[in-house]
Amino acid sequence: MNERYSWNTADLIIPVFSIILAVYYMFTIRGIPRIAQMYGGSLSIIVIILSVVMFALVVKNGLFKKISNPMKYIKNNWNDSNFGIYKKVAVLISLVIIYISLLPYAGYPITSMIFMSLVMYFLGMRKITRILGVAVFVTSLGFCLFILFLNVQLPLDIISYQIKSLIR
Amino acid sequence: MDLIMNSFYTILEWWWLIPLGVCIGVFVGAVPGFSSTNTLIILLPLTLSMETAPALAFMASVYSGAQMGGSIPAILLNVPGTGSAAATCLDGYPMAQQGKPQQALVIAFLASCIGGFLTTATALFTLPYLRSVVYLFGSIENFVIILFGLALIAQIAGKNPLKGFLAGGLGLLLGAIGYDHIYSVPRATFGFIELFDGMPRVPAIVGLFALSEAFIMIEKDTIIKKKVGDIKSSWSDTMEGIQMTFKYFIGVVRSGFIGFLVGIIPGAGATIGSFVSYQQAYNLSKEKDKFGKGHPEGIIAAEAANNGLTSGALIPLLTLGIPGGGTAAIMLIVLQSHGVPIGPRLFQSSPDMAYNVIVSMLFAYIVLLCIGLPLTKLFAKTTIIPTKILVPSIISFVLVGAFVERRFFFDIKLALFFGILGYIMKKTGYPTHAVLLGVILGPLSEQFFLRGITLGNGNPAIFFSRPVGNILWILLLLSVVTPPVYKKFFKNKKENSSSIL
């Protein structure tokens, strides 16, 4: 509690998001009776105040001055390993977005198998037989658990649908 | 007493259903997004075809097992299987990262079983009297109890309270999205019809914990920095976990009964119970600094409470015929389909049903202990599976978990949004637990607040007009104010004594 916290400009991502949400929230509750506004309205104001305090603290610590030359700041502060990690996460998130987009059309088993194989390869696994073995095993486990046992209505390709009809 | 003995004999006739129910419960409880409620819905055709006593015994066993199963991924992967296991992550995962996954699991299992067993045994002997307790809690008391849970935000804020409060406020605001509870006006839904009913909890849990953790996991090769050969899963680790649990035995009993009391309140839910218990354990602990860093008391508080809550949550159903939660509502369907009169006459007309359920839960906890403890050795090895395999497996499994509850593809996208939000928060030092607390407790606090204020015709004085409510206010005030005052006083005293020396 007593440790001195070192502020960072990245600390402002959440306050910026919070302010946008709070302002939008207040915009959507305008015009509704006061009693219904009370809870959400007060919350929005509290969130805005906390976010503004956070901004003030970051400014007080002089971080804006430090990033007056953004390129120099990135060069000095983002060492290669950090940048590599964020790049990896960005690629992983992109793969998840592609997986989610294809899931309703290609079905759970095929999309999951392809997604898992790609992620394992991307994370550095190079043995194709191992990649395929794990992908097939985990997807089959998911298929048995979710679709056959728990009857989750996930989209299926024609082969999986036939298997499900045969077993259930 | 005859009723209790008859229930023992009845349940012994169907004893084999209890291990089956427990295993199913532990298994589905460990899958994020699945709960005892949606599993029992899936198994409803099976339970409807059984006789009433075995059906209820089976359902009670699934319910008890699921509460405990949720702690397994919470400790090993920082992915809570159920909402109530989110509090277990606070200390369970740090303990696993210290190379003690087996000890953490043993503590969780033992605390769950002891907490659950003691409270169930209490329920067995006090069942006729507990119905009056249910009447003591209305919207005002519920609102204050939720504030106990929200008070935890201040404590999990860590070294930067401002970030903790902002995260909590953001969570409450996200939880306030959707129709308002009086005029049904949609608020901040961004035009998504899927958000009109409010912010769904499962995508929030899955995203904030599971997905964000998966994104962080890619930075390391395994969850804990140990080689495969180093984790030998010996019985001495199990013994160490048992010793740690018994060292804090009073905490197990206290947390179990906190969960039990919260469970009795209709609609409160297991998540509130485990967070309220964690907050109380923190306040009463002599080792506050160890909380959040893999402290056994933290795991005990969350786990004993959420299992103590299982028996408490069935009290409104068994004594008054009011379903206190989702699982109780499904039990009610089974009772109704078998022609058992439901409503306040349930306990008078069929007291044997109530005792059968309680006795089967007692057996379930004994079975859980026998099955769970040896399995901790096996589960602990999850922490040394390479993240190259774990990350895609977790993502693929939990996204299905996000879909299950409402069966909207929108919920999968929402889970990804929460995953990115959770990742940014973890990287910038905002506590994700505070957001989750807000998302889960926010809608409930708003609901009870608005009900209270409507009852008082807009006058907030209504919140201080009921005796039980006032006692709870005093306890809340004490639990928030006492720790910092005590800490300051204790620190000054220590400084004075050292300067004298």
Side-chain angles (χ1 to χ4, degrees):
Chain A
M1 198 73 121
N2 295 325
E3 275 175 57
R4 194 177 164 78
Y5 184 78
S6 84
W7 293 93
N8 194 308
T9 34
D11 289 341
L12 292 180
I13 300 173
I14 298 298
V16 168
F17 172 72
S18 304
I19 288 176
I20 294 170
L21 181 68
V23 170
Y24 173 62
Y25 193 95
M26 287 177 83
F27 178 75
T28 58
I29 60 168
R30 77 196 189 290
I32 66 172
R34 198 179 65 86
I35 197 166
Q37 279 186 5
M38 210 185 276
Y39 181 86
S42 333
L43 261 179
S44 305
I45 292 167
I46 293 168
V47 166
I48 290 171
I49 292 171
L50 289 171
S51 305
V52 170
V53 172
M54 192 78 89
F55 261 98
L57 284 169
V58 173
V59 174
K60 195 183 156 197
N61 279 268
L63 279 168
F64 282 127
K65 282 179 197 163
K66 285 181 197 168
I67 57 163
S68 55
N69 184 348
M71 288 318 290
K72 196 179 167 189
Y73 180 80
I74 290 169
K75 206 177 167 187
N76 292 341
N77 291 276
W78 282 42
N79 57 41
D80 284 342
S81 71
N82 261 348
F83 191 69
I85 286 164
Y86 294 129
K87 209 164 67 176
K88 250 180 159 181
V89 172
V91 175
L92 183 60
I93 291 172
S94 311
L95 286 172
V96 176
I97 292 171
I98 295 168
Y99 173 53
I100 293 172
S101 315
L102 290 178
L103 195 60
Y105 307 104
Y108 170 74
I110 288 179
T111 342
S112 298
M113 252 187 273
I114 296 170
F115 168 75
M116 289 192 61
S117 307
L118 284 175
V119 174
M120 278 186 274
Y121 186 81
F122 165 67
L123 292 178
M125 204 186 259
R126 289 292 177 264
K127 275 190 177 173
I128 300 296
T129 47
R130 201 173 173 198
I131 289 176
L132 287 177
V134 173
V136 170
F137 173 74
V138 176
T139 310
S140 311
L141 192 73
F143 182 77
C144 294
L145 174 69
F146 297 127
I147 291 156
L148 297 182
F149 177 60
L150 294 166
N151 200 22
V152 177
Q153 303 295 316
L154 280 164
L156 297 174
D157 54 277
I158 189 76
I159 300 165
S160 317
Y161 185 77
Q162 291 300 330
I163 295 171
K164 186 190 168 186
S165 317
L166 269 174
I167 296 174
R168 282 188 72 90
Chain B
M1 201 63 197
D2 286 344
L3 272 169
I4 296 174
M5 289 315 293
N6 283 340
S7 295
F8 270 99
Y9 295 132
T10 311
I11 297 305
L12 277 174
E13 272 179 51
W14 301 94
W15 67 269
W16 55 274
L17 275 171
I18 293 173
L20 184 70
V22 163
C23 289
I24 293 175
V26 172
F27 191 57
V28 294
V31 182
F34 279 88
S35 61
S36 55
T37 310
N38 49 31
T39 308
L40 288 177
I41 291 170
I42 293 160
L43 297 173
L44 202 57
L46 178 76
T47 42
L48 285 175
S49 63
M50 291 177 181
E51 285 176 38
T52 321
L56 290 174
F58 178 70
M59 292 166 105
S61 312
V62 173
Y63 186 32
S64 311
Q67 288 297 340
M68 200 160 91
S71 67
I72 301 168
I75 289 169
L76 301 175
L77 306 167
N78 203 18
V79 176
T82 54
S84 56
T88 313
C89 293
L90 286 167
D91 279 283
Y93 187 61
M95 195 168 189
Q97 279 186 311
Q98 288 162 19
K100 293 180 177 177
Q102 199 179 328
Q103 289 89 327
L105 283 171
V106 170
I107 294 168
F109 275 36
L110 211 53
S112 298
C113 291
I114 297 172
F117 188 86
L118 288 178
T119 50
T120 310
T122 309
L124 188 67
F125 295 105
T126 54
L127 204 54
Y129 314 105
L130 286 171
R131 55 189 299 173
S132 54
V133 178
V134 182
Y135 288 123
L136 293 175
F137 291 88
S139 299
I140 288 149
E141 290 77 14
N142 279 346
F143 178 69
V144 190
I145 285 173
I146 288 166
L147 291 183
F148 270 97
L150 290 175
L152 186 64
I153 290 174
Q155 282 149 16
I156 56 178
K159 62 179 176 183
N160 196 328
L162 185 60
K163 282 187 173 180
F165 286 123
L166 181 59
L170 177 64
L172 286 169
L173 200 59
L174 286 167
I177 286 175
Y179 278 127
D180 89 270
H181 296 276
I182 303 178
Y183 299 98
S184 298
V185 179
R187 300 163 304 174
T189 55
F190 297 91
F192 292 117
I193 201 160
E194 294 90 344
L195 286 177
F196 277 33
D197 270 345
M199 186 60 75
R201 295 194 313 180
V202 177
I205 297 173
V206 161
L208 286 170
F209 289 90
L211 284 181
S212 64
E213 197 57 40
F215 298 152
I216 285 177
M217 258 182 217
I218 62 171
E219 292 172 21
K220 39 195 177 182
D221 294 331
T222 51
I223 292 172
I224 56 172
K225 288 172 186 166
K226 273 195 170 187
K227 289 176 186 168
V228 179
D230 293 343
I231 295 254
K232 283 178 183 155
S233 301
S234 61
W235 282 107
S236 62
D237 287 347
T238 305
M239 284 311 295
E240 197 186 337
I242 294 172
Q243 280 169 359
M244 284 179 184
T245 314
F246 280 100
K247 190 181 167 192
Y248 302 104
F249 188 75
I250 294 170
V252 179
V253 178
R254 186 184 58 224
S255 302
F257 281 98
I258 289 175
F260 182 66
L261 285 174
V262 175
I264 291 175
I265 306 162
T271 314
I272 299 174
S274 56
F275 277 110
V276 168
S277 165
Y278 189 89
Q279 191 250 1
Q280 290 305 306
Y282 174 85
N283 282 338
L284 298 169
S285 174
K286 289 173 185 167
E287 300 164 311
K288 288 188 179 58
D289 295 340
K290 290 184 183 172
F291 273 77
K293 296 168 190 163
H295 189 35
E297 261 191 294
I299 305 172
I300 287 169
E303 281 305 306
N306 69 32
N307 282 275
L309 198 136
T310 50
S311 46
L314 296 180
I315 302 295
L317 170 77
L318 301 176
T319 58
L320 297 168
I322 307 164
T327 308
I330 297 160
M331 284 188 173
L332 201 67
I333 296 170
V334 174
L335 286 172
Q336 202 173 14
S337 72
H338 284 93
V340 177
I342 55 170
R345 285 187 304 126
L346 177 76
F347 191 70
Q348 274 103 352
S349 59
S350 321
D352 52 324
M353 293 295 155
Y355 285 109
N356 284 350
V357 172
I358 300 287
V359 170
S360 26
M361 284 182 94
L362 273 183
F363 279 111
Y365 282 112
I366 298 168
V367 171
L368 268 171
L369 194 66
C370 300
I371 294 174
L373 277 185
L375 282 179
T376 54
K377 286 173 73 179
L378 185 72
F379 291 142
K381 295 205 170 183
T382 311
T383 48
I384 48 168
I385 295 175
T387 51
K388 286 167 195 163
I389 295 173
L390 265 184
V391 169
S393 310
I394 290 174
I395 294 175
S396 159
F397 263 64
V398 298
L399 287 179
V400 178
F403 172 80
V404 169
E405 193 184 40
R406 306 195 306 167
R407 305 196 173 181
F408 290 154
F409 270 102
F410 175 82
D411 286 357
I412 298 184
K413 294 170 192 164
L414 196 63
L416 179 63
F417 160 76
F418 275 109
I420 298 169
L421 182 72
Y423 179 75
I424 295 170
M425 293 185 79
K426 282 178 181 173
K427 281 286 170 189
T428 51
Y430 288 86
T432 47
H433 283 88
V435 180
L436 186 71
L437 262 174
V439 172
I440 292 176
L441 302 184
L444 290 170
S445 67
E446 183 186 12
Q447 195 182 331
F448 292 127
F449 171 79
L450 288 176
R451 270 190 211 162
I453 206 101
T454 312
L455 281 172
N457 291 323
N459 186 0
I462 184 96
F463 289 100
F464 307 98
S465 63
R466 289 170 58 112
V468 178
N470 288 342
I471 294 169
L472 289 170
W473 276 116
I474 294 167
L475 289 174
L476 177 67
L477 199 70
L478 284 174
S479 72
V480 173
V481 173
T482 316
V485 172
Y486 176 79
K487 207 174 170 181
K488 204 170 179 182
F489 174 74
F490 190 70
K491 203 179 161 188
N492 287 342
K493 214 175 163 183
K494 215 173 171 181
E495 276 169 7
N496 289 341
S497 59
S498 61
S499 63
I500 290 164
L501 282 170

